[in-house]
Amino acid sequence: MSSKSWQQLCADRKKKQSVIDVPAQCGLLSPLEIEITETVDLDILLDKLSTGIWTSAQVTTAFYKRAIIAQQLTNCLTEIFIERALARAHELDDYFQKNGKPIGPLHGLPISLKDQFCIKGLETIMGYASWIGPVSEKSCVLVEILYDLGAVPFVRTNVPQTLIWGETYNHVFGRTTNPYNRYMTPGGSSGGEGALLALKGSPLGVGTDIGGSVRIPGAMCGLYTLRPSYERLPYANARNAQEGQESISSTLGPMANSLSAVKRFTKSIIDAKPWKKDPLVVRKEWSSREYALEEHGNGVGMCFAVLWDNGVVKPHPPVRRALEIVKQSLEDAGHKVIDWEPHRHLEIYKNTESIFAADAGQDYRVECAKSGEPLIQTMSPDKDAHPYNLFESYAKTIIGKPELLSAYDLWQLHKEKRVLRKSHLDHWEATVARTGTGRPVDAIIAPVAPYTAVPHGCNSDAFYTTLYNTLDYACAGFPVTFADKDLDKVQPPHEFRNHEDEAVYKLYDPELFHGLPVGLQLVGRTQEEEAVIAMTEIVDRVLGARK
């Protein structure tokens, strides 16, 4: 007989509710549909589509069924347009039947999209009640290109109101939960994508990232992701929060269960010459030379640097262990690993958050006022909230109460940002004295967040990712391990740097966090997506060899 009260027994059961295996075990999918949706290597899936082994209708139907199961489990979807997508799939199958070849490199592939990417004839609500009703008169550039490449957009996924949250909840569609533990957040703002992909309800998704919104849900849901540099991939005619804010640009990026999907998506979009459709896209073709790592010793005997701690919030034990695993794996494979020395982090943090708050929240208030819906102030749920969630980001402390800035004041922040970016570049270049390769550090291995997925309402920190949005470094997220209550013990208290650092430390509970994915990010230089993908493939291989 348990000594716990019935209330505590119920609360504990809710906290431990994993649904990650439900789609494959629920009996709603046929053996072929399970085989299709469990084929996580996108190269294999596309090969079967391009050779006619599987039809687009078969693959799209299989992922639709699994996506709808995922929706029932985690509330991850905002739009399900079955008739339109299946008509597209049959159109592609007819083309293949008549011509004996695929339409493009993504022929027949169903792709999920964050609820920002406009599709002609459909609403794009993006978590705002005021955006319900109007439909898009044309598709955004990304969707146009996906159709040209032979893809089948088939669902759209949930986001938080305003997008500027590391969690996923709005008044229109409600809260998305993490399939590894529904008491936890899947992250945000691309949290719908994170939950859907973790349940293998899509072979490839597209999110956006202005402060970690692709990488955070990727890490919290065990996925591979890419945050490309500003304007490398086409954002034109998609919706966004803070539209017109171009100091720190949002970028779109792939999310998937395999690195092959990240590479295939990125290369396919770049090969389509998106600068012909989006005037902001950098005119840079896919570089095979960069992917071959010619500027990084051809991938042999490289030097990586580990950011163990950003000096603002100390990572939890599972994240520290993941960094140690990657370090040891790289060294065992013949690479050198040194410590990354944080450089002017608090200055970058303050500059970043001051830019984001330059309108004093006017953008969000205007959109909410159109319908009268209240601006969401917390991601903490009304019921079953985690008892320790009454803390806020350190950013609010360092910038104070947001004030509407003049154009001149914003220009000063832009000027400061340029100085900080130059200083950080010089800092990186100076590592040549420590690498032993004759080159500066090839890439940085860093946390995505100081923790794994956390209880709803507790994801306060995004500086591990936002840092690189400000610096505009290309980043790839990758899974490493899972939190383990036997390996990741609570560590003695350290000297807390600020109130958030203390709160994050006290949040850690080995029992509660047990079994959650632990992901990290590999950070490269600006506009270095090809090399970042290639170096992440190397890291992924050495991790696979270790396992």
Side-chain angles (χ1 to χ4, degrees):
M1 187 73 175
S2 174
S3 60
K4 296 182 180 180
S5 68
W6 69 268
Q7 294 96 332
Q8 188 60 50
L9 288 169
C10 292
D12 289 349
R13 179 65 182 85
K14 290 175 182 176
K15 293 178 185 178
K16 298 299 180 184
Q17 195 168 10
S18 171
V19 294
I20 199 69
D21 296 323
V22 170
Q25 298 176 357
C26 65
L28 296 174
L29 302 176
S30 71
L32 177 59
E33 288 164 343
I34 290 175
E35 181 185 357
I36 289 171
T37 55
E38 295 280 342
T39 303
V40 296
D41 187 331
L42 197 74
D43 287 341
I44 295 174
L45 183 58
L46 285 170
D47 181 66
K48 293 192 175 186
L49 282 164
S50 66
T51 56
I53 295 174
W54 290 338
T55 67
S56 180
Q58 285 178 312
V59 172
T60 302
T61 298
F63 278 105
Y64 251 131
K65 290 177 70 173
R66 193 149 181 159
I68 291 169
I69 295 168
Q71 165 66 4
Q72 293 174 305
L73 295 171
T74 63
N75 191 43
C76 54
L77 304 181
T78 64
E79 195 90 50
I80 305 170
F81 35 99
I82 296 175
E83 293 84 0
R84 175 189 292 229
L86 286 179
R88 164 69 171 169
H90 286 299
E91 173 188 302
L92 292 166
D93 290 337
D94 290 344
Y95 178 90
F96 185 87
Q97 193 73 24
K98 291 177 182 178
N99 297 279
K101 63 180 182 180
I103 279 183
L106 302 180
H107 178 93
L109 183 72
I111 293 180
S112 51
L113 301 169
K114 186 178 183 178
D115 195 7
Q116 288 181 252
F117 296 106
C118 301
I119 300 175
K120 183 179 180 179
L122 298 178
E123 297 171 298
T124 306
I125 294 173
M126 211 182 80
Y128 279 122
S130 62
W131 292 15
I132 297 172
V135 299
S136 299
E137 295 182 0
K138 60 182 178 180
S139 296
C140 66
V141 166
L142 174 69
V143 170
E144 291 178 353
I145 292 175
L146 289 175
Y147 276 117
D148 290 343
L149 297 176
V152 184
F154 79 120
V155 293
R156 282 194 302 201
T157 52
N158 204 19
V159 300
Q161 183 201 64
T162 77
L163 293 184
I164 312 297
W165 286 96
E167 304 198 28
T168 301
Y169 167 71
N170 60 70
H171 294 128
V172 184
F173 299 105
R175 185 182 305 279
T176 300
T177 59
N178 191 313
Y180 283 93
N181 185 335
R182 291 191 290 182
Y183 185 70
M184 303 296 202
T185 179
S189 61
S190 309
E193 282 296 332
L196 174 67
L197 289 157
L199 289 165
K200 300 186 177 72
S202 171
L204 172 65
V206 186
T208 64
D209 192 315
I210 194 172
S213 291
V214 160
R215 289 162 290 162
I216 291 170
M220 292 184 174
C221 296
L223 307 173
Y224 296 91
T225 59
L226 177 70
R227 180 266 165 196
S229 296
Y230 303 156
E231 325 304 353
R232 187 77 199 270
L233 300 179
Y235 216 119
N237 299 332
R239 302 300 300 271
N240 205 356
Q242 294 187 325
E243 289 183 329
Q245 187 281 109
E246 298 184 356
S247 309
I248 300 172
S249 295
S250 178
T251 65
L252 68 88
M255 306 172 67
N257 283 290
S258 69
L259 260 178
S260 63
V262 170
K263 181 194 174 189
R264 181 67 76 102
F265 171 86
T266 306
K267 186 177 186 303
S268 297
I269 298 297
I270 292 172
D271 285 347
K273 302 184 186 303
W275 49 86
K276 292 186 175 183
K277 290 178 176 286
D278 183 341
L280 298 185
V281 172
V282 175
R283 189 182 182 92
K284 180 189 175 190
E285 296 186 352
W286 176 268
S287 173
S288 297
R289 183 182 63 82
E290 290 183 21
Y291 179 69
L293 298 176
E294 290 185 9
E295 295 181 4
H296 298 277
N298 296 305
V300 178
M302 293 190 293
C303 181
F304 296 86
V306 173
L307 174 65
W308 300 98
D309 184 335
N310 66 8
V312 181
V313 176
K314 186 173 183 178
H316 280 177
V319 178
R320 173 79 187 197
R321 182 167 60 85
L323 291 166
E324 291 169 348
I325 289 172
V326 173
K327 178 180 185 294
Q328 188 62 55
S329 299
L330 287 168
E331 289 177 337
D332 290 347
H335 302 288
K336 184 175 181 179
V337 182
I338 64 175
D339 294 341
W340 180 263
E341 298 172 353
H343 181 72
R344 304 181 73 172
H345 278 190
L346 278 177
E347 293 174 77
I348 298 170
Y349 195 8
K350 184 175 181 180
N351 176 268
T352 302
E353 297 301 332
S354 298
I355 288 172
F356 285 152
D359 72 335
Q362 186 171 350
D363 178 78
Y364 316 137
R365 291 195 301 273
V366 167
E367 295 303 330
C368 287
K370 290 177 181 177
S371 67
E373 75 166 313
L375 179 66
I376 293 173
Q377 302 291 334
T378 176
M379 286 285 132
S380 182
D382 294 332
K383 295 181 180 180
D384 297 322
H386 189 66
Y388 192 71
N389 63 358
L390 300 177
F391 59 93
E392 62 183 23
S393 169
Y394 184 49
K396 293 184 178 180
T397 299
I398 62 174
I399 68 171
K401 184 179 179 180
E403 296 182 359
L404 185 64
L405 299 186
S406 68
Y408 179 80
D409 290 334
L410 183 58
W411 292 347
Q412 303 318 299
L413 290 173
H414 292 175
K415 179 180 176 181
E416 179 185 53
K417 177 171 172 271
R418 290 191 177 200
V419 170
L420 290 168
R421 286 186 66 186
K422 172 66 167 105
S423 182
H424 202 277
L425 174 61
D426 292 344
H427 178 68
W428 190 320
E429 287 293 317
T431 62
V432 68
R434 297 196 290 134
T435 62
T437 64
R439 305 184 305 275
V441 160
D442 291 295
I444 303 167
I445 305 295
V448 169
Y451 31 59
T452 61
V454 293
H456 299 289
C458 296
N459 188 15
S460 65
D461 185 81
F463 185 55
Y464 278 98
T465 48
T466 305
L467 169 67
Y468 302 119
N469 292 82
T470 304
L471 297 171
D472 195 28
Y473 292 153
C475 309
F478 58 95
V480 178
T481 186
F482 293 88
D484 188 315
K485 62 184 178 181
D486 297 321
L487 298 176
D488 303 318
K489 302 293 187 183
V490 175
Q491 298 300 303
H494 56 281
E495 185 176 344
F496 300 123
R497 299 86 177 256
N498 53 71
H499 69 274
E500 186 183 17
D501 184 41
E502 180 178 5
V504 168
Y505 170 82
K506 292 179 178 177
L507 178 66
Y508 182 61
D509 177 348
E511 291 283 344
L512 179 61
F513 287 75
H514 180 74
L516 294 171
V518 189
L520 300 175
Q521 59 183 328
L522 182 144
V523 183
R525 306 293 191 105
T526 303
Q527 299 291 335
E528 197 183 26
E529 287 73 26
E530 296 91 335
V532 164
I533 292 171
M535 286 188 281
T536 306
E537 288 174 343
I538 288 173
V539 172
D540 196 51
R541 281 198 296 272
V542 301
L543 288 174
R546 180 186 179 91
K547 293 173 185 177

